[in-house]
Amino acid sequence: MSASQDPPPRTGPIRLGPHARAALRPTADPVVADGFWAQRQQVVAHAGIPQGPLLLESAGNLHDLRLAAGKSAGEFRGDYPFMDSDVYKWLEAAAWQLARLHPDGPEGRRLADDVERIIGLVADAQQSDGYLNSWFQAGKGQGPFTDLRWGHELYCAGHLIQAAVAHHRATGRENLLAVARRFADHIDATFGPPGSGKPIDGVDGHPEVETALVELYRETGERRYLELAGYFVDSYGRGLLGGEAYCQDRTPVRAARDIEGHAVRQLYLLAAVADLATETGDEELRAAGERLWSAMAATKTFLTGGVGAHHDKEEFGDPFELPTERAYCETCAAIASIQFSWRMALLTGDACYSDLVERTLFNGFLSGMSLDGERWLYVNPLQVRDGHTDQGGDKSARRTRWFRCACCPPNVMRLAASLEHYIASTDGRGIQLHQYAEGTYRAEVAGTPLVVSANTDYPWQGRITVTVDESPTGEPWTLSLRIPQWCTSFTVQYPGTDSDLEAAGRTDASTVLDENTAPVENGWLRLTRAWKPGERAVLELDLEPRLTRADPRVDAVRNCVAIERGPLVYCLEQADHPEGLDRVVIDTAQPLTVKHRPDLLGGVTTVLAGGYRRAIPERGWWPYASSDPADLAAQQNATAPGGDSSADGTATALIELTAIPYYAWANRRDGSMRVWLPIS
């Protein structure tokens, strides 16, 4: 095929406009070829996405669209006005999957047939004026746009637009994009500020359409979509929804000093803030994004990267209000956090945003999907007690096949299916690797392509080998490697060749740097030279397991530690400790050791620690007892660094504790679990 016949570069959920004021741009045509994340993508591709149409049928989502299209009789099925959004999220996931399948292969044909059938149903359900929402079209509620706080029409429209953009980018087809544009045009004709001549001055109770409209602008070049997104973002906080923080209406985002309210609503809104700052150069919006991200990361993010402290209203709590067993950490909120952080990473170029993306991907996000891709968690607690009584439902601590409010499963599918687009970026002077996944990543320098391949067994091993496959001849460019925030020790060897890597120790042809000598700036290790094809940079990150303490203001985990290794947070599960976990105490003086278990949970590296099982004295009917100053002093001494957590003599003999990666919990038999371990 000639160059003129080559397909256009494959882009992902974010494709910046030609005049975007971003420090970095996502790379085109990324490929995650093997390793940890490729395996997770394969699970989604072979289990998650194929089951989507059947589950959407059984839950009533497709029936409701047929009802809206006049192709089915009966009552609306489902409890919520946003049932359509699950269909759109699945369509987006399926579109990203289609982009990597051969269109004439059996798997590609089957998936394409499902996608086209459901797109046809969506198109049939759309009204002639462009409006589309099966809840209101089926006669529920009082009519279109009469209940903006709870109707979720614009939220659903946002997911439709994102699915349509994904489908267009993945296949080149415009049938779903045409549906999305008609709805967007209808919204644009309906909503606007006072004096605009438009009938409604209002916003949706659930932000989402804003970031979708920015992407529709990027896809079509129609600036009015960008301006409509800006109108919506600046309308939150004006009291149009009653002034409640829950739906982001208490404080205008430009004036906000802290994140608050429903976690997903807040973070979808902030993703749009980052998008608008990127496309317009609005410095006030950029400052708001930086300020509010910092407030979230420093005071309202769990160790896993999860967010949302309250089951009630699914919302952020107060600063440092980070409970364990009552942690909400909705899977959708983890996804929203990743979307916001990735946009801020592109906008600013700062590595801290990608640090949080990594933590959230490996822990708060991945825990939401079972290892077999067929069961899900809506909430992701950091502790489940011995004897826990689970009531089931969406907020269950047990994995579930589907939910009444099924927002999380198709949301996981769409992020996992597009994950390769969150790995690398370019600034025109080189390439930046934000995440370490085995694959191939492309960029351009001075109009000439450069291609690098990453080879790694991360996160189980800390070696990342980056090979230059194509490079501009004689043109210097920079390979930027993110040094994770958790990493205190590393080495890098470059430029190496195959013979260099086979040699023991340093060779004359290479430079070896470590954490004391490497040019790390703002989290980036930048290696600039006129790279030649075949040359390599070998980064070794120290993956020694570590004990982590929380800020002392996090009352829920004071005098506790957590086990981490590399980007992974670990937990104990009752499956490995049949006597339960509520009496377990870790001995911080005992060494941590690692053991890779290919036979366990799909293949994981476990961390082994030493600890005790508290022998709690019988106190009768009242579980509280007095302590004199001497007892308290002994306890404080036991919890000091290096102290013996069994010093009070109330613990059993030393026992071995087996910690597994948090993302893999709840994949065996039901039982207790905990991330934070008491030290006294």
Side-chain angles (χ1 to χ4, degrees):
M1 180 179 289
S2 68
S4 62
Q5 295 173 305
D6 288 343
R10 188 167 63 91
T11 55
I14 301 173
R15 184 171 69 195
L16 304 186
H19 306 296
R21 282 78 157 180
L24 309 173
R25 290 175 175 268
T27 58
D29 291 322
V31 176
V32 173
D34 204 351
F36 183 90
W37 284 115
Q39 293 168 7
R40 293 290 87 206
Q41 285 191 311
Q42 288 166 9
V43 168
V44 170
H46 297 139
I49 292 174
Q51 69 178 327
L54 292 176
L55 291 168
L56 293 168
E57 192 67 73
S58 63
N61 306 69
L62 299 182
H63 161 80
D64 295 338
L65 285 168
R66 284 194 291 269
L67 203 63
K71 295 180 176 293
S72 181
E75 297 295 322
F76 186 92
R77 292 177 56 195
D79 300 320
Y80 304 105
F82 48 86
M83 299 289 286
D84 298 351
S85 65
D86 299 336
V87 177
Y88 304 147
K89 281 182 279 189
W90 180 85
L91 281 172
E92 182 183 346
W96 298 129
Q97 180 61 18
L98 281 174
R100 65 171 64 89
L101 292 176
H102 193 288
D104 294 327
E107 189 178 358
R109 287 199 303 271
R110 283 195 301 270
L111 184 57
D113 287 346
D114 280 339
V115 167
E116 291 304 313
R117 173 173 57 85
I118 294 175
I119 288 175
L121 176 56
V122 171
D124 287 342
Q126 187 170 38
Q127 293 183 174
S128 59
D129 63 358
Y131 180 83
L132 177 55
N133 185 282
S134 66
W135 172 273
F136 291 97
Q137 289 173 257
K140 306 286 279 187
Q142 300 301 312
F145 305 130
T146 57
D147 185 7
L148 289 174
R149 189 175 188 277
W150 292 110
H152 285 59
E153 292 138 292
L154 302 186
Y155 167 83
C156 290
H159 282 302
L160 169 62
I161 291 167
Q162 288 172 325
V165 168
H167 185 248
H168 188 239
R169 290 176 182 171
T171 70
R173 292 178 59 82
E174 298 190 355
N175 49 343
L176 188 58
L177 186 64
V179 174
R181 291 192 69 173
R182 283 196 294 271
F183 198 1
D185 291 345
H186 178 72
I187 294 168
D188 186 39
T190 303
F191 288 85
S196 66
K198 299 178 181 180
I200 300 177
D201 178 22
V203 291
D204 196 286
H206 198 311
E208 214 286 334
V209 75
E210 298 78 17
T211 189
L213 285 167
V214 175
E215 209 60 42
L216 188 60
Y217 153 73
R218 290 166 173 164
E219 191 70 4
T220 65
E222 289 277 359
R223 190 169 181 85
R224 58 196 173 91
Y225 298 137
L226 181 68
E227 293 168 352
L228 182 59
Y231 156 71
F232 282 138
V233 165
D234 281 329
S235 293
Y236 285 99
R238 291 173 48 210
L240 297 174
L241 296 167
E244 188 180 356
Y246 170 78
C247 42
Q248 303 306 310
D249 197 37
R250 190 175 73 88
T251 307
V253 70
R254 295 174 185 270
R257 312 303 302 178
D258 198 6
I259 56 170
E260 62 180 9
H262 187 278
V264 180
R265 286 166 165 82
Q266 171 73 96
L267 296 177
Y268 280 171
L269 178 63
L270 291 177
V273 165
D275 278 330
L276 284 163
T278 296
E279 293 299 337
T280 67
D282 190 318
E283 289 296 326
E284 192 175 38
L285 285 179
R286 173 178 171 142
E290 293 174 336
R291 179 175 66 248
L292 295 173
W293 184 92
S294 296
M296 176 184 73
T299 71
K300 297 188 179 183
T301 300
F302 290 82
L303 184 67
T304 59
V307 289
H310 295 171
H311 279 239
D312 182 38
K313 296 186 177 181
E314 304 182 323
E315 64 184 2
F316 289 103
D318 294 327
F320 304 104
E321 183 188 355
L322 298 168
T324 56
E325 66 235 77
R326 292 298 292 169
Y328 198 66
C329 294
E330 182 188 347
T331 301
C332 279
I335 293 167
S337 173
I338 291 166
Q339 291 176 346
F340 174 37
S341 293
W342 178 232
R343 285 163 170 80
M344 292 301 297
L346 297 174
L347 174 61
T348 67
D350 291 347
C352 61
Y353 300 106
S354 296
D355 282 331
L356 185 56
V357 169
E358 177 184 67
R359 177 172 294 276
T360 310
L361 275 173
F362 275 107
N363 303 289
F365 162 72
L366 196 55
S367 60
M369 178 179 68
S370 66
L371 295 177
D372 62 10
E374 295 186 355
R375 294 169 298 139
W376 314 88
L377 288 172
Y378 191 110
V379 299
N380 296 272
L382 276 67
Q383 180 180 356
V384 177
R385 289 188 174 273
D386 296 342
H388 171 71
T389 301
D390 198 282
Q391 301 300 314
D394 290 2
K395 299 180 182 182
S396 172
R398 312 300 184 209
R399 296 192 183 274
T400 303
R401 175 73 169 164
W402 206 243
F403 303 107
R404 285 174 59 240
C405 176
C407 52
C408 296
N411 219 2
V412 171
M413 294 178 200
R414 71 179 183 133
L415 177 58
S418 61
L419 188 64
E420 63 268 29
H421 297 285
Y422 293 78
I423 304 296
S425 67
T426 181
D427 59 0
R429 299 184 297 274
I431 195 167
Q432 303 81 38
L433 294 185
H434 297 253
Q435 309 301 330
Y436 296 121
E438 186 153 321
T440 302
Y441 310 100
R442 305 170 185 274
E444 285 189 359
V445 171
T448 304
L450 68 89
V451 181
V452 301
S453 296
N455 182 271
T456 183
D457 195 22
Y458 194 78
W460 312 125
Q461 301 293 330
R463 168 174 284 204
I464 300 102
T465 301
V466 182
T467 303
V468 177
D469 297 326
E470 296 181 33
S471 181
T473 303
E475 183 77 28
W477 57 271
T478 301
L479 171 64
S480 297
L481 305 174
R482 182 179 58 86
I483 304 300
Q485 173 271 338
W486 51 261
C487 182
T488 58
S489 177
F490 69 90
T491 62
V492 61
Q493 178 179 338
Y494 77 102
T497 63
D498 288 336
S499 58
D500 296 331
L501 296 176
E502 293 169 0
R506 179 172 176 170
T507 71
D508 293 336
S510 65
T511 299
V512 179
L513 303 172
D514 61 20
E515 64 276 4
N516 298 311
T517 58
V520 177
E521 179 185 359
N522 194 27
W524 289 109
L525 170 62
R526 304 188 190 277
L527 307 176
T528 303
R529 59 179 277 106
W531 293 90
K532 299 175 183 177
E535 290 185 334
R536 297 182 175 183
V538 182
L539 176 65
E540 290 270 6
L541 301 175
D542 184 0
L543 294 189
E544 283 298 308
R546 60 194 185 275
L547 295 177
T548 300
R549 291 178 183 266
D551 186 292
R553 288 169 286 186
V554 184
D555 295 306
V557 296
R558 192 175 291 125
N559 291 332
C560 293
V561 295
I563 298 172
E564 296 186 275
R565 181 176 184 264
L568 297 175
V569 175
Y570 278 70
C571 68
L572 303 188
E573 257 199 313
Q574 191 171 356
D576 303 304
H577 309 87
E579 294 184 34
L581 300 175
D582 285 358
R583 294 191 295 120
V584 165
V585 178
I586 189 171
D587 186 346
T588 58
Q590 299 296 320
L592 300 177
T593 59
V594 300
K595 182 178 182 180
H596 190 68
R597 293 281 305 277
D599 60 318
L600 182 66
L601 297 167
V604 297
T605 295
T606 60
V607 176
L608 306 179
Y612 305 90
R613 197 173 302 281
R614 285 182 283 204
I616 300 174
E618 178 62 44
R619 294 194 176 100
W621 66 270
W622 188 240
Y624 303 96
S626 301
S627 289
D628 61 35
D631 293 335
L632 295 174
Q635 183 181 17
Q636 184 174 10
N637 180 64
T639 62
D644 181 358
S645 61
S646 64
D648 61 4
T650 62
T652 63
L654 187 69
I655 60 174
E656 184 177 80
L657 306 178
T658 299
I660 64 167
Y662 172 77
Y663 77 78
W665 84 279
N667 279 281
R668 295 177 285 180
R669 61 182 180 272
D670 291 345
S672 51
M673 177 276 294
R674 65 186 308 151
V675 169
W676 291 99
L677 307 174
I679 60 176
S680 71

